[in-house]
Amino acid sequence: MKAIDKKRQADFQIIAHWVNEGDRVLDLGCGRGVLLEYLKQKKSIYGVGVDIDLDKILSCVKRGVPAYQGDIRAMLATFPENAFDRVIFSRTVEQLEDPDAVLAEGLRVGRRVAVGFVNKAFWLNRLNIFLKGRRTVNEVYPKPWYESLPANPFSVAEFEDYCDARRIVIENRVFLSGDWRSECSRFPNLMAGYAIYDLASID
């Protein structure tokens, strides 16, 4: 297994802590399968990935990670209720065309759902908009807007409002500082660069 990007180490470790040994895991927007490979090594999971990008699916296959190319919402519709112990959306929700419907489907097919996202309201993002009138360009957002994929970013506060409105149970939450390594314990909507939520449906 290749070394994991330092910005993803804490993210992966948190999700691995929530995953049980031998769990059935579905990673939606799995990319090159790095997270599933990590979970397979750490927790001996049975993992399946879904991604729209064929090159990334081929990378999954090279890693020995089962993965399917296709639309996330269409793929979710093929699974019965509670088909997986854990469904993962890692930096995926903000790129979905209908995130509300897809998250609902994720909660249907998974007993628990992990959602990780970049916090739009992080102080540096606010500062760049206020002082420069421009979005932040850094390691997280390396490309200008015209070279980036369509996205609908949101904040920690907005996501919690959403969970409250849809009566989604927040079982656990972890906020990481701007370095994505150390934990953020205060004012997460302002000070957290990245957020990870462990969700469940109301029984």
Side-chain angles (χ1 to χ4, degrees):
M1 181 176 175
K2 294 181 180 179
I4 299 169
D5 186 314
K6 289 182 178 180
K7 274 192 174 293
R8 303 310 306 269
Q9 283 181 349
D11 177 12
F12 283 16
Q13 289 167 0
I14 291 161
I15 293 174
H17 179 69
W18 293 343
V19 170
N20 295 316
E21 195 79 17
D23 270 359
R24 296 163 297 163
V25 177
L26 176 64
D27 187 2
L28 298 170
C30 64
R32 302 189 183 279
V34 180
L35 174 56
L36 285 174
E37 183 185 34
Y38 177 84
L39 293 175
K40 187 176 180 181
Q41 286 199 350
K42 297 295 182 181
K43 291 295 181 78
S44 301
I45 64 156
Y46 168 72
V48 178
V50 177
D51 204 285
I52 198 71
D53 189 321
L54 180 58
D55 287 338
K56 291 177 180 178
I57 295 300
L58 293 175
S59 293
C60 289
V61 173
K62 290 178 182 178
R63 293 178 186 276
V65 173
Y68 299 93
Q69 182 193 18
D71 175 74
I72 287 175
R73 187 174 180 182
M75 194 66 68
L76 279 169
T78 66
F79 295 115
E81 290 186 14
N82 297 325
F84 295 90
D85 300 297
R86 171 76 56 180
V87 174
I88 298 173
F89 295 89
S90 182
R91 293 192 66 182
T92 303
V93 173
E94 57 266 42
Q95 295 181 354
L96 297 173
E97 290 185 6
D98 191 348
D100 187 18
V102 174
L103 281 169
E105 276 291 277
L107 287 161
R108 181 185 67 81
V109 306
R111 298 179 188 279
R112 298 286 275 270
V113 170
V115 176
F117 61 91
V118 178
N119 177 27
K120 183 184 72 172
F122 179 53
W123 69 267
L124 183 60
N125 298 335
R126 300 188 193 200
L127 189 65
N128 281 331
I129 288 293
F130 180 73
L131 294 180
K132 302 177 182 179
R134 292 181 172 86
R135 58 174 275 176
T136 302
V137 177
N138 55 16
E139 287 180 301
V140 179
Y141 296 113
K143 297 180 180 180
W145 67 268
Y146 50 84
E147 294 179 1
S148 302
L149 292 171
N152 183 28
F154 47 90
S155 69
V156 165
E158 288 172 320
F159 188 72
E160 298 223 353
D161 288 346
Y162 165 74
C163 291
D164 184 58
R166 293 294 183 266
R167 301 182 67 199
I168 297 170
V169 179
I170 299 174
E171 298 285 359
N172 295 289
R173 53 167 78 78
V174 176
F175 305 113
L176 299 177
S177 300
D179 58 7
W180 288 29
R181 299 173 197 170
S182 55
E183 193 165 338
C184 171
S185 57
R186 294 185 178 183
F187 311 112
N189 197 53
L190 176 66
M191 302 303 294
Y194 195 76
I196 311 165
Y197 283 77
D198 179 18
L199 308 177
S201 296
I202 295 177
D203 294 331

